[in-house]
């Protein structure tokens, strides 16, 4: 498994599997405890796996957790997504840094998102499935959302956004969130 440090977000990594391809298709390791351990991530810290399915054009995000945050491993298991991470850790050397990555079922690459970073994506295909491995049990009282079209973030969504959740439509701007971070 190839590990690529994401320069725009301190502590973020892209894990690129090396699939075995033959006439039947492919076989690919999508999680490797030793690979994540090599970059200082405790593979045993992940407590929840989740899956979302989105129609083409759907934007989910920008989401993060208050308190001690939430680290995630994110992979597009079917289709393609335009994935966005924004560093909202005020003490980070990459504070307000962004990374835009296409994740797809073709590469099966996994993006590690450190706690304190906002995450969102837009489905580029009909449908797109995104698998999450999360290091904390979900507590709705800690959910934080930033409006997807925040002018300060100026995220270049590739398609016209559609079918937004009520939570995402009503989310405040980054400026309205205390100190610019949760």
């Amino acid at each position: 498994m190839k590990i690529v440090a994401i320069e725009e977000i301190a502590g973020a990594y892209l894990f690129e599997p090396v699939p075995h391809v033959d006439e039947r298709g492919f076989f690919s390791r999508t999680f490797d405890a030793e690979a994540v351990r090599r970059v200082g991530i405790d593979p045993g810290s992940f407590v929840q796996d989740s899956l979302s399915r989105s129609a083409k054009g759907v934007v989910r995000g920008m989401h993060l957790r208050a308190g001690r945050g939430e680290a995630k491993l994110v992979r597009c298991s079917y289709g393609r997504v335009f994935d966005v991470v924004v560093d909202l850790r005020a003490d980070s050397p990459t504070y307000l840094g962004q990374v835009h990555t296409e994740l797809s079922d073709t590469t099966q690459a996994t993006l590690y998102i450190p706690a304190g970073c906002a995450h969102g994506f837009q489905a580029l295909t009909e449908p797109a499935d995104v698998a999450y491995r999360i290091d904390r049990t979900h507590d709705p009282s800690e959910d934080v959302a930033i409006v997807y079209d925040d002018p300060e973030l100026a995220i270049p969504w590739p398609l016209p956004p559609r079918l937004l959740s009520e939570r995402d439509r009503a989310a405040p701007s980054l400026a309205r969130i205390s100190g610019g971070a949760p």
Side-chain angles (χ1 to χ4, degrees), residues 19-182:
H20 173 74
V21 180
D22 62 22
E23 64 279 355
R24 300 170 295 166
F26 74 88
F27 174 84
S28 183
R29 181 179 303 139
T30 59
F31 178 77
D32 185 322
E34 190 52 42
V36 299
R37 195 177 284 116
R38 280 197 302 268
V39 295
I41 301 167
D42 175 11
S45 68
F46 296 97
V47 299
Q48 179 180 317
D49 283 1
S50 299
L51 179 70
S52 69
R53 173 165 286 168
S54 301
K56 185 175 181 176
V58 166
V59 171
R60 292 183 186 259
M62 300 297 295
H63 301 153
L64 67 156
R65 297 271 301 276
R68 41 176 251 253
E70 169 184 85
K72 305 182 224 189
L73 290 166
V74 178
R75 178 175 57 87
C76 182
S77 59
Y78 184 84
R80 291 182 306 119
V81 298
F82 175 78
D83 199 90
V84 179
V85 180
V86 179
D87 190 346
L88 295 180
R89 301 167 293 175
D91 60 345
S92 171
T94 56
Y95 177 64
L96 293 181
Q98 291 186 26
V99 65
H100 310 141
T101 305
E102 185 174 295
L103 299 176
S104 74
D105 60 6
T106 304
T107 66
Q108 293 293 321
T110 299
L111 182 62
Y112 174 74
I113 303 164
C117 294
H119 174 251
F121 66 86
Q122 183 174 44
L124 301 177
T125 57
E126 184 76 49
D129 291 351
V130 174
Y132 309 78
R133 182 164 277 185
I134 303 165
D135 75 344
R136 291 183 59 207
T137 303
H138 183 244
D139 178 350
S141 72
E142 294 181 332
D143 287 349
V144 176
I146 299 165
V147 69
Y148 75 97
D149 60 352
D150 186 305
E152 184 176 351
L153 298 178
I155 297 167
W157 301 108
L159 301 174
R162 60 184 282 255
L163 300 174
L164 294 159
S165 71
E166 181 56 38
R167 173 187 176 206
D168 289 344
R169 276 193 306 277
S173 67
L174 180 61
R176 288 192 50 214
I177 295 175
S178 176

